[in-house]
Amino acid sequence: MGQIYYLGGSPCCGKSTISKMLVDKYDFQYFKVDDFLNTYIEKGAKDGKPLLSKVSKMTLDELWLRNPNIQNEEELKMYCEMFEYILADLIIKASDIPIVAEGAAFLPNLMKKIGISQSKYICMVPTKQFQYEEYLKRPWVPHYLRGCGNKELAFENWMQRDYLYASVVLEDARKLGYHTLVVDGTKSIEENYLAVEKIFKL
C-alpha cells in the first residue's frame, strides 16, 4: 500500500494536530478515520455486521447512558468490524506520496495483524486528567450532547469510556512492542511532534 505512517491510540491527545504538522512539513497525504466513521457504520450495517448494525440505530441516550465498560468493549469490537473498510480506502489512496493515517481505529493488535513495523506506528494516549480537561475546552461537546436526557451522566460515561479505551490500547501496544506516547500536558505539542517524527525516522 505504499508508505503509510499510523497514529493510533485514544482521543484527545494531539494525534490530529501532529498528523497535520507532518502533512504540512513533508507534503504527505492525510487520512483521518473519524472523517469516514459514519460511512463505515452505514456500510457495516448494510453488510450485516452485528455491532455496526446495532450502533447505526442507537440514539445518543442509548449510546452514552450505557455502562462505560460495555461502551469500551463495543468500541473496540466496532473498529475491528470496520477495519476492512479502512484498509480498502487506504489502498485507494495509496500512491508514491506517503500517507499519515490517524485515528483511534488503528488498534495495536490490528496493526500487528497486517504486519505494520515498529517504525510505522505509534500509540498515543492522554492521561485521565489531561483528557478530561481538554474535552471540557472543546466547544462542540455540549452541542453534541444537547439531545441527551442526562448530559452530565453522558459526559462522565464518555470520559470513563475513553479512559478505559486508552488503558487497553496502551497495554496492548506495549505488549506488542510498539512505541507509545502518554500525553499529560507537561510537554508542548512541538515536543510531542518531534518524538513522533523521531519514531517514524523522518
Side-chain angles (χ1 to χ4, degrees):
M1 292 195 298
Q3 193 88 304
I4 304 177
Y5 300 92
Y6 297 89
L7 280 86
S10 184
C12 206
C13 58
K15 294 192 306 301
S16 296
T17 301
I18 289 174
S19 295
K20 290 173 185 174
M21 291 169 74
L22 287 169
V23 168
D24 290 343
K25 181 173 180 179
Y26 294 101
D27 290 324
F28 289 168
Q29 300 182 76
Y30 183 28
F31 180 83
K32 184 175 182 178
V33 174
D34 284 2
D35 289 343
F36 305 98
L37 283 181
N38 289 336
T39 300
Y40 297 147
I41 290 170
E42 290 172 5
K43 282 185 178 180
K46 185 177 179 181
D47 291 344
K49 292 187 180 290
L51 196 51
L52 293 175
S53 297
K54 175 184 174 181
V55 170
S56 71
K57 301 171 185 174
M58 294 177 79
T59 65
L60 285 178
D61 277 355
E62 288 170 336
L63 279 169
W64 297 114
L65 299 185
R66 297 174 297 161
N67 183 298
N69 288 291
I70 294 174
Q71 291 185 41
N72 178 49
E73 290 171 7
E74 294 195 344
E75 185 82 353
L76 292 163
K77 292 176 183 176
M78 184 182 77
Y79 287 139
C80 291
E81 282 191 359
M82 68 172 61
F83 196 58
E84 65 181 270
Y85 306 131
I86 297 171
L87 290 181
D89 280 351
L90 282 172
I91 290 171
I92 292 170
K93 199 174 181 68
S95 70
D96 293 336
I97 302 173
I99 300 169
V100 175
E102 177 258 317
F106 293 116
L107 298 168
N109 63 312
L110 295 176
M111 296 289 93
K112 194 70 174 180
K113 187 176 181 180
I114 63 171
I116 303 304
S117 69
Q118 293 178 347
S119 63
K120 292 294 188 292
Y121 174 73
I122 181 170
C123 179
M124 293 179 60
V125 302
T127 60
K128 188 173 186 178
Q129 182 178 351
F130 182 82
Q131 169 200 299
Y132 194 95
E133 291 172 353
E134 289 302 306
Y135 261 115
L136 287 174
K137 296 176 185 177
R138 296 182 169 186
W140 57 267
V141 170
H143 294 287
Y144 170 69
L145 294 176
R146 190 166 44 193
C148 284
N150 187 334
K151 300 178 188 63
E152 291 76 16
L153 179 58
F155 182 73
E156 292 301 326
N157 284 348
W158 180 1
M159 293 301 97
Q160 182 62 15
R161 190 283 308 267
D162 278 9
Y163 171 68
L164 291 168
Y165 188 90
S167 300
V168 169
V169 297
L170 181 63
E171 182 179 357
D172 285 351
R174 287 172 171 170
K175 283 181 179 178
L176 294 170
Y178 284 118
H179 293 283
T180 61
L181 179 60
V182 178
V183 178
D184 61 6
T186 59
K187 292 184 179 178
S188 68
I189 191 69
E190 289 77 15
E191 288 175 301
N192 289 335
Y193 166 80
L194 290 173
V196 171
E197 192 178 46
K198 183 177 180 181
I199 288 166
F200 288 157
K201 299 179 180 179
L202 294 170

